[in-house]
Amino acid sequence: MNNRQLFLQHVAQTTDAPLALEIVKAAGMYMWDADGKQYLDLIAGISVCNVGHCHPSVVQAIQEQAQQYMHLLVYGEFVQSPQVSYAKLLTDHLPDHLNCVYFTNSGAEAVEGAMKLAKRYTGRPEIAAFNRSYHGSTQGALSILGDEYFRNAYRPLLPGIQHLEYNNFESLELITENTAAVIAESVQAEGGVIIPQREWIHALRNKCTATGALLILDEVQCGLGRNGTLWAFQQHGIEPDVLTLGKALGGGMPLGAFISSKEIMWSLTNAPILGHITTFGGHPVNCAAGKAAFQALLEENLVKDVKAKGEIFLQYLKHPRIKAVRSLGLMMAVQLESFEVNKKTIDYCIANGVLTDWFLFASDCMRIAPPLVITEAQIIEACKVICEALDQL
Ligand code: PMP
């Protein structure tokens, strides 16, 4: 059996039509398959590789840390300099009250931790989340996921969950003094890039403050520069009580985090102690990688060009078959007539060396979320292939 057949046979499959490309190398904006074919990456491993694949300083940081030490003991016992210095660097670039970082293994674990933290801090039973939101696949994160089709197969899920409508003022009335937290993506990603209206997200912030519910902003997908500011919430002019991060946080290695004030985080410390436990969360090699990626993001000034790069996409993505493009920076949803049209377009793009896909809750939209290092020439090349694909239909 070849590797592809072994993959289908022995690696668990959660879709009946996996892409099953065998990639042997990736660098910067590109990946290469086992036949040497090159792919321009428009999805960055779902918003992970913001500084490009295998950024040299990330690779170097991994190698150096792996030679120093790898796993030592469960999270929180030893002073491990990669964790400490990354937590310091992150909090230096966040509002003053977001000054305490709990590192996790993944985005979903960050969301789980944030939900638990809100329950402990407020002593309240309910969590509110939004329709069309995605926060992860574990049972707590699945309970708040905003799509009944995906939730229903796993009931019973967590009790006390309210689902609200994003960008809907009336929905905010459901936030009460029983609500421990409201969790929202700063930009809804899997819903097909839904941007909150400014007045609405301010009303959400105010309602949380008035009722004493914590506002958790999930920037697992949109954080770390993708929308054209380091944090998406900066564009809305509000601040969360708790921030969840993941994906690009590890620079290509698995790392998530929930971040709050020291005062809020303190509620995980006593009665019972060990409010959240993780063996590998904040792994030193992953923190070293994440910190190197974060430094590259800053030193190469990558965030500042994101909006202009997004504009170039918009300029070249002109085709009668494109119904709409929703975007903020380099997070874009290109809306087509139907899933069938989208799928054919994506297949053509992949066959012609441009890697893209669709969204979980917007199957008629093509995802464009490339590494932030994409150049103008690469954007034009990608748009040319997409428009050619649409011409073929
Ligand atoms: N939150 C958001 C907004 C996400 O997009 C995702 C992943 N797509 C998650 C949480 C969960 O992250 P992970 O897959 O690392 O568990």
Side-chain angles (χ1 to χ4, degrees), residues 337-365:
E337 279 148 55
S338 61
F339 171 68
E340 289 67 34
V341 168
N342 195 19
K343 174 82 172 69
K344 278 190 194 152
T345 311
I346 290 167
D347 288 348
Y348 179 96
C349 287
I350 295 173
N352 287 278
V354 172
L355 194 67
T356 174
D357 74 353
W358 59 87
F359 294 88
L360 199 55
F361 310 133
S363 60
D364 55 349
C365 292

Side-chain angles (χ1 to χ4, degrees), residues 45-48 104-111 133-138 141 183-190 218-222 244-247 254-256 331 360 367:
I46 318 292
S47 300
V48 169
T104 62
N105 293 277
S106 65
E109 193 194 357
V111 166
S133 64
Y134 184 82
H135 299 288
S137 195
T138 50
I183 177 161
E185 291 168 85
S186 298
V187 173
Q188 282 196 320
E190 294 307 318
D218 181 343
E219 297 213 1
V220 167
Q221 192 160 163
C222 63
T244 59
L245 298 175
K247 294 196 185 273
L255 189 65
M331 182 190 264
L360 199 55
R367 184 194 302 269

Side-chain angles (χ1 to χ4, degrees), residues 198-366:
R198 200 177 166 84
E199 308 81 72
W200 178 78
I201 202 151
H202 278 259
L204 168 62
R205 173 66 275 183
N206 292 341
K207 186 74 185 186
C208 288
T209 306
T211 53
L214 296 186
L215 177 61
I216 304 171
L217 287 182
D218 181 343
E219 297 213 1
V220 167
Q221 192 160 163
C222 63
L224 294 141
R226 178 144 304 278
N227 295 129
T229 43
L230 197 49
W231 317 112
F233 65 75
Q234 291 171 290
Q235 300 191 43
H236 311 324
I238 58 152
E239 289 174 0
D241 301 301
V242 184
L243 178 69
T244 59
L245 298 175
K247 294 196 185 273
L249 185 70
M253 299 292 273
L255 189 65
F258 56 102
I259 305 178
S260 72
S261 69
K262 188 119 189 67
E263 185 219 334
I264 294 176
M265 200 65 87
W266 185 247
S267 51
L268 294 181
T269 311
N270 290 299
I273 59 162
L274 300 171
H276 188 73
I277 304 178
T278 180
T279 299
F280 289 126
H283 192 282
V285 175
N286 303 356
C287 283
K291 185 185 159 207
F294 192 83
Q295 280 171 327
L297 197 68
L298 301 176
E299 281 159 19
E300 293 170 26
N301 251 320
L302 293 177
V303 183
K304 124 178 151 340
D305 292 336
V306 164
K307 287 217 165 131
K309 289 179 181 180
E311 291 297 324
I312 304 173
F313 267 109
L314 293 178
Q315 191 187 329
Y316 284 88
L317 278 176
K318 295 258 159 58
H319 195 283
R321 283 189 174 272
I322 297 178
K323 301 250 166 242
V325 182
R326 286 188 300 278
S327 69
L328 194 60
L330 285 173
M331 182 190 264
M332 323 186 85
V334 181
Q335 189 162 2
L336 301 170
E337 279 148 55
S338 61
F339 171 68
E340 289 67 34
V341 168
N342 195 19
K343 174 82 172 69
K344 278 190 194 152
T345 311
I346 290 167
D347 288 348
Y348 179 96
C349 287
I350 295 173
N352 287 278
V354 172
L355 194 67
T356 174
D357 74 353
W358 59 87
F359 294 88
L360 199 55
F361 310 133
S363 60
D364 55 349
C365 292
M366 180 193 277

